[in-house]
Amino acid sequence: MKKCVFAGTFDPPTLGHKDIVLKCLELFDEVIVAILINPNKKPLFSEEARLSMLKKVFASYKNVRVLSYDGLTVDLLRREGARFYVRGIRNGSDYDYEALLNYINTDMYPEMITVFLPTRQEYLHISSTLVKDALRFHKSVDAYVPEEIRGDLIIHLQEEANKHV
C-alpha cells in the first residue's frame, strides 16, 4: 500500500490544498493530510479549527486521514510508514524553497521521496495568506476555499468581531 503525507499549516485550507489532495488520491492508496505545528508561525485559526475544517473538506474521501503533528516532517513520515512527501507547487519560488527543504529532509530520511505536484492554473494565485487578508477585511473568500468550510470561516469572523466589542 502506497501512502503519502501532504503537510502544511492549512491556515485556512484552500482550493489549492484540496486540488493537491485530490491529485494524491490518483497516485496513492492513502493520503495523510498533516497540520504541522510550526512554533515560528502565528496562525489565525486554532489547531482544532484547522483539523475540523480539513476533516469536513475530506469527509467523503475514505482514503484521506487528517491529523496534526508537532515535530519534523521526516519523523512523521517514519511514524506513519510513508516514504512519499507531497508538496504543492504554484510557481518557481515555491519549487526553489521546497527543493532546498528536500535536500535537508533526505539527509535525515534517505528513503523519503519528495513528490512535487503543480496546482491547477486557476488556483495559482490562491494562498492561505491571501484568504486570511481577505477575511480580515470582511471580503468574500468563496472563490478560494472549499465549499465545505465557508460557513466555518464566517463563524470565525463573527466570533473575532464579538471579541473586540
Side-chain angles (χ1 to χ4, degrees):
M1 181 164 123
K2 289 194 175 174
K3 58 179 150 179
C4 72
V5 169
F6 176 50
T9 308
F10 303 108
D11 185 38
T14 68
L15 288 172
H17 294 132
K18 185 174 182 181
D19 177 54
I20 296 298
V21 172
L22 295 180
K23 287 178 180 180
C24 288
L25 287 170
E26 299 280 328
L27 300 168
F28 300 99
D29 301 310
E30 181 182 10
V31 180
I32 300 164
V33 180
I35 297 171
L36 285 179
I37 306 305
N38 183 341
N40 298 322
K41 289 189 176 183
K42 183 102 170 114
L44 179 62
F45 296 91
S46 70
E47 178 183 345
E48 296 77 23
R50 289 178 282 151
L51 277 169
S52 173
M53 286 189 279
L54 284 168
K55 286 178 180 178
K56 284 181 185 179
V57 170
F58 299 112
S60 63
Y61 301 93
K62 64 179 175 53
N63 296 359
V64 176
R65 189 161 41 102
V66 176
L67 54 84
S68 64
Y69 186 73
D70 182 8
L72 293 175
T73 305
V74 293
D75 293 334
L76 173 62
L77 286 159
R78 276 193 189 101
R79 185 186 87 185
E80 293 295 331
R83 292 180 53 213
F84 299 97
Y85 182 45
V86 173
R87 304 308 299 147
I89 301 294
R90 291 171 297 190
N91 54 43
S93 297
D94 282 355
Y95 175 80
D96 290 344
Y97 176 76
E98 295 297 342
L100 287 174
L101 288 180
N102 172 62
Y103 299 130
I104 294 166
N105 286 334
T106 55
D107 280 345
M108 291 185 277
Y109 184 29
E111 297 83 9
M112 183 180 110
I113 298 171
T114 302
V115 178
F116 298 111
L117 293 176
T119 193
R120 291 170 33 181
Q121 187 172 358
E122 61 263 34
Y123 302 142
L124 287 176
H125 65 291
I126 299 174
S127 69
S128 292
T129 300
L130 174 141
V131 172
K132 286 185 285 197
D133 288 345
L135 287 170
R136 284 185 182 106
F137 291 100
H138 307 285
K139 301 297 182 195
S140 174
V141 295
D142 289 357
Y144 312 125
V145 298
E147 184 176 344
E148 298 90 344
I149 63 168
R150 290 176 188 156
D152 293 337
L153 297 175
I154 292 167
I155 290 168
H156 179 79
L157 276 181
Q158 291 168 341
E159 289 172 353
E160 285 299 308
N162 289 338
K163 287 180 185 177
H164 301 295
V165 174

